[in-house]
Amino acid sequence: MISTKLLSCCEKDFCEAGEIIRSGGTVIFPTETVYGLGANALDDEAVKKIFIAKGRPSDNPLIVHVSSFEDIYDYVKEVTDNAKKLAEAYWPGPMTLILKKKNIIPDNVSAGLDTVGIRVPGDKAARDFLESCSVPVAAPSANLSGSPSPTTSKHVIEDMMGRVDAIIQGKDSLVGVESTVIDVTGEVPVILRPGGVTPQMVKDVCGEVIIDKGVNGVTDSEKPRSPGMKYRHYAPKAQVILVYDDKFDVMVSKMLEVVKENDEKVIVLCSEQSKSFFDKLNFMVVGDREKPETFAHSLFDCFRKCDELGYKVIILEGISDDGIGLAVMNRAIRAAHS
Ligand code: TXA
Ligand code: MG
């Protein structure tokens, strides 16, 4: 057990957090996507502590966070045209760019790959923290490996007290799902993980975009381009059944008959639009299905609440995969698969 200091978003505490990072410690910090668990990205001993705190497999690479675009030239060999265009358009923001790394980035950050994922977060508190560190900060999502990413300081405290040196308690994450991971090493940008920056947004800037076919999970025989894709992810402890159909309410009523017979604790996670069908059942509203950003914002929080309440089965209403809906459905599909 480590003694974990609780810090807030003020200049004095950012200075203290920066000091902890520079001396090889671990700090959890808020970002607009999800909370991150950071350590000095240039110090491989510090980086090891991240993997230990999370219980994360060491072949899954980490994202390096910096406070401004210019910083990335110190850590990557070449900033491609697509990288420049995307950075100009969407940084600071919920987007990670994969580029060829310089040797200064230790192998345990990149998990032995010759590339590194790099991001300038949109959240001002995140950038103030990064600036006070004056070193790049490697950070995965600050959850225990396998559980949903934390989007509130409460989630972080539940998962990580006693496992890190400090936690900066900030606002709830605005976006609520992790950043879009885009490989920009080649001619055409390839989305490896959907997020707040949508395929259309990438296309608008680069003219073309490919969504990697491993995005919603890969089979054992395939080698994923983003190692994180092969792991159990985003899942609550409860079993998730994802239902995506025009007749969502009809399907769910039928399913509930079946599950009820097995006497399991079941809850429906649904949209504002369909809640009236479930008023005699356990339900929780995730968001408005016409506004996918509301689903993104609350999905992980709802997963955690269902676990807290002891539900064993979650029936989740799917939404259209337009815009950030693609990221929502990606997390939903992966939670359901595991
Ligand atoms: O929004 C986010 O991206 C959050 C916040 C804290 O910034 N971070 C985050 O990190 O979600 P993590 O470690 O939970 O997810 C990083 C994902 C993994 O799926 C990993 O495999 C992929 O990015 N990744 C990292 N570096 C990569 C690389 N060099 N090539 C391919 N994929 C990479
Ligand atoms: Mg993660």
Side-chain angles (χ1 to χ4, degrees):
M1 277 279 275
I2 305 174
S3 108
T4 303
K5 212 163 201 178
L6 290 178
L7 302 174
S8 60
C9 289
C10 64
E11 206 184 314
K12 180 179 138 290
D13 284 9
F14 286 141
C15 284
E16 185 169 352
E19 192 57 44
I20 295 172
I21 292 288
R22 283 191 301 281
S23 58
T26 47
V27 175
I28 291 178
F29 59 101
T31 90
E32 78 283 18
T33 56
V34 301
Y35 275 70
L37 195 178
N40 180 354
L42 305 180
D43 174 350
D44 64 344
E45 288 301 319
V47 168
K48 272 185 205 161
K49 295 180 186 167
I50 296 178
F51 290 96
I52 294 166
K54 275 189 66 108
R56 177 178 174 116
S58 60
D59 64 344
N60 195 3
L62 306 175
I63 294 169
V64 173
H65 298 69
V66 293
S67 62
S68 75
F69 170 69
E70 289 69 36
D71 294 349
I72 79 172
Y73 286 87
D74 294 338
Y75 312 115
V76 305
K77 279 187 179 153
E78 189 203 352
V79 182
T80 57
D81 282 346
N82 282 331
K84 284 181 196 150
K85 287 182 199 162
L86 287 166
E88 162 98 19
Y90 305 123
W91 270 351
M95 174 181 75
T96 295
L97 298 178
I98 306 291
L99 287 160
K100 293 270 187 245
K101 80 174 187 81
K102 282 188 177 165
N103 289 337
I104 188 173
I105 299 290
D107 278 347
N108 63 354
V109 170
S110 59
L113 300 171
D114 63 353
T115 53
V116 64
I118 202 152
R119 172 162 111 85
V120 181
D123 188 347
K124 173 83 166 55
R127 291 201 308 284
D128 287 348
F129 158 69
L130 291 169
E131 214 157 282
S132 79
C133 294
S134 44
V135 290
V137 172
S141 49
N143 52 292
L144 287 172
S145 199
S147 66
S149 296
T151 56
T152 71
S153 56
K154 175 176 172 280
H155 299 162
V156 164
I157 287 169
E158 281 162 8
D159 276 19
M160 288 295 169
M161 273 310 267
R163 294 178 160 265
V164 294
D165 294 303
I167 294 173
I168 301 175
Q169 295 176 276
K171 286 182 291 200
D172 295 357
S173 303
L174 193 67
V175 179
V177 291
E178 305 84 348
S179 62
T180 309
V181 176
I182 312 172
D183 184 334
V184 281
T185 55
E187 283 293 301
V188 181
V190 183
I191 294 184
L192 303 181
R193 178 178 73 182
V197 169
T198 64
Q200 187 59 49
M201 287 163 74
V202 177
K203 210 172 166 190
D204 287 345
V205 169
C206 301
E208 283 176 287
V209 64
I210 294 170
I211 301 173
D212 192 78
K213 67 177 173 36
V215 156
N216 286 337
V218 288
T219 61
D220 288 343
S221 58
E222 285 172 292
K223 188 172 163 18
R225 284 183 67 171
S226 176
M229 287 174 180
K230 68 175 183 284
Y231 291 107
R232 178 180 192 268
H233 253 306
Y234 319 118
K237 292 187 188 76
Q239 186 197 346
V240 178
I241 301 170
L242 175 64
V243 182
Y244 180 42
D245 194 273
D246 292 343
K247 298 190 181 68
F248 174 69
D249 51 310
V250 179
M251 282 193 65
V252 170
S253 325
K254 276 191 193 145
M255 286 170 70
L256 282 175
E257 279 165 32
V258 179
V259 220
K260 279 257 165 75
E261 280 169 19
N262 297 325
D263 193 35
E264 288 180 280
K265 274 196 94 185
V266 184
I267 185 164
V268 181
L269 285 186
C270 62
S271 66
E272 197 58 55
Q273 284 86 343
S274 26
K275 70 177 181 197
S276 58
F277 298 111
F278 306 115
D279 56 359
K280 289 189 187 64
L281 301 165
N282 302 315
F283 75 92
M284 201 185 283
V285 172
V286 188
D288 178 334
R289 69 172 172 229
E290 301 303 322
K291 295 184 187 135
E293 66 278 11
T294 61
F295 259 73
H297 177 78
S298 303
L299 184 65
F300 291 154
D301 185 46
C302 288
F303 279 169
R304 281 179 183 256
K305 281 183 181 142
C306 292
D307 279 345
E308 247 172 61
L309 295 167
Y311 290 104
K312 296 286 174 256
V313 177
I314 295 170
I315 298 179
L316 171 63
E317 177 176 356
I319 60 171
S320 152
D321 62 5
D322 282 345
I324 197 175
L326 182 70
V328 171
M329 286 303 281
N330 168 254
R331 304 318 188 259
I333 288 166
R334 303 195 57 161
H337 278 180
S338 55

